[in-house]
Amino acid sequence: EGLGDWGIAEGLIFENWKVEEFDIGDILTQLDRFGRPIYKQLYGLDWGFTAPTGFIACAANEEKRLIYIFDEFYGKKTTNQDLVDMLKNRGYDKKLIIADSAEPKTIEEVRRLGINRIRPAKKGPDSIRAGIQKLQDYKIIVHPRCENTIIELNNYVWDTNADGKIINEPIDDYNHLMDPLRY
């Protein structure tokens, strides 16, 4: 790293992922023997303004423990109207979107701007670590166009204590797409 070469961040939280081309249409049309989709579409949103607003779109199969991340939005100084316009332009305005529950006023404003199926994330004690632990049980495939997701997955790490030992607490950085992935 010091010589300008690629390095691997110590204490990476997620090592269960890879970048791979895929056609999300092919994945979302897969059906079980009863004709039901085998992948559930999931959409998460984390608020930001000076820090980036993060939106992530994925498809998950609980039985196979597999997640495909197929779209993202990562924007600084994004207004609620900008966000709503992006969601509508990409066809996500009718999807169930789980957003950071820390800003109920913002959720209500986005709802009034036309994103009717936005809901607050259910958070409880230790929800960050519990969400991370659940995601660690999955294999995660990231589409190459999700560049910011790739950057975050390469840099989202556990914190260290004063002795330099890794502790079970993530650093609050490189998580603008990781948080909505947990939601």
Side-chain angles (χ1 to χ4, degrees), residues 43-47 98-101 121 123 178-183:
Y43 304 91
L45 177 61
D46 192 44
W47 309 110
I98 305 301
D100 185 356
S101 59
K123 296 181 185 179
M178 299 300 96
D179 286 348
L181 182 60
R182 284 187 300 103
Y183 305 155

Side-chain angles (χ1 to χ4, degrees), residues 120-134:
K122 293 177 182 167
K123 296 181 185 179
D126 209 29
S127 63
I128 294 173
R129 279 192 293 258
I132 288 170
Q133 189 173 24
K134 182 168 184 170

Side-chain angles (χ1 to χ4, degrees), residues 5 20 25 37 44 52-53 74-75 88 91 101 119-120 126 151 155 174:
D5 293 329
E20 185 178 290
T53 294
Y74 193 84
K88 287 180 178 180
S101 59
R119 302 287 182 270
D126 209 29
I151 289 168
N155 290 282
Y174 293 101

Side-chain angles (χ1 to χ4, degrees), residues 22-178:
F22 58 86
D23 183 338
I24 193 60
D26 290 344
I27 291 163
L28 294 177
T29 56
Q30 292 179 28
L31 305 175
D32 68 11
R33 61 189 179 110
F34 302 107
R36 297 177 300 220
I38 63 171
Y39 284 91
K40 182 177 182 179
Q41 296 178 57
L42 303 167
Y43 304 91
L45 177 61
D46 192 44
W47 309 110
F49 189 73
T50 52
T53 294
F55 171 81
I56 198 157
C58 57
N61 180 313
E62 284 197 42
E63 186 177 312
K64 292 181 179 182
R65 297 292 217 208
L66 185 57
I67 296 173
Y68 285 92
I69 299 174
F70 61 89
D71 201 4
E72 69 176 28
F73 173 79
Y74 193 84
K76 288 187 177 182
K77 296 191 177 182
T78 303
T79 66
N80 292 337
Q81 185 64 61
D82 294 339
L83 177 65
V84 167
D85 291 345
M86 179 278 297
L87 293 170
K88 287 180 178 180
N89 288 338
R90 295 189 187 184
Y92 300 131
D93 52 318
K94 304 289 188 248
K95 304 292 186 185
L96 175 62
I97 298 171
I98 305 301
D100 185 356
S101 59
E103 296 192 30
K105 181 178 169 184
T106 305
I107 291 173
E108 183 58 31
E109 182 178 346
V110 168
R111 186 178 288 121
R112 289 179 186 191
L113 289 170
I115 308 300
N116 298 321
R117 297 192 67 212
I118 190 168
R119 302 287 182 270
K122 293 177 182 167
K123 296 181 185 179
D126 209 29
S127 63
I128 294 173
R129 279 192 293 258
I132 288 170
Q133 189 173 24
K134 182 168 184 170
L135 287 170
Q136 288 173 328
D137 288 339
Y138 284 75
K139 180 177 177 185
I140 302 170
I141 311 294
V142 183
H143 197 281
R145 76 171 155 259
C146 299
E147 294 175 6
N148 293 295
T149 301
I150 295 165
I151 289 168
E152 288 199 4
L153 285 165
N154 274 314
N155 290 282
Y156 192 42
V157 296
W158 297 110
D159 205 349
T160 55
N161 63 17
D163 298 328
K165 303 242 189 243
I166 294 174
I167 59 173
N168 195 24
E169 186 72 35
I171 292 178
D172 188 19
D173 197 11
Y174 293 101
N175 58 351
H176 308 292
L177 293 163
M178 299 300 96

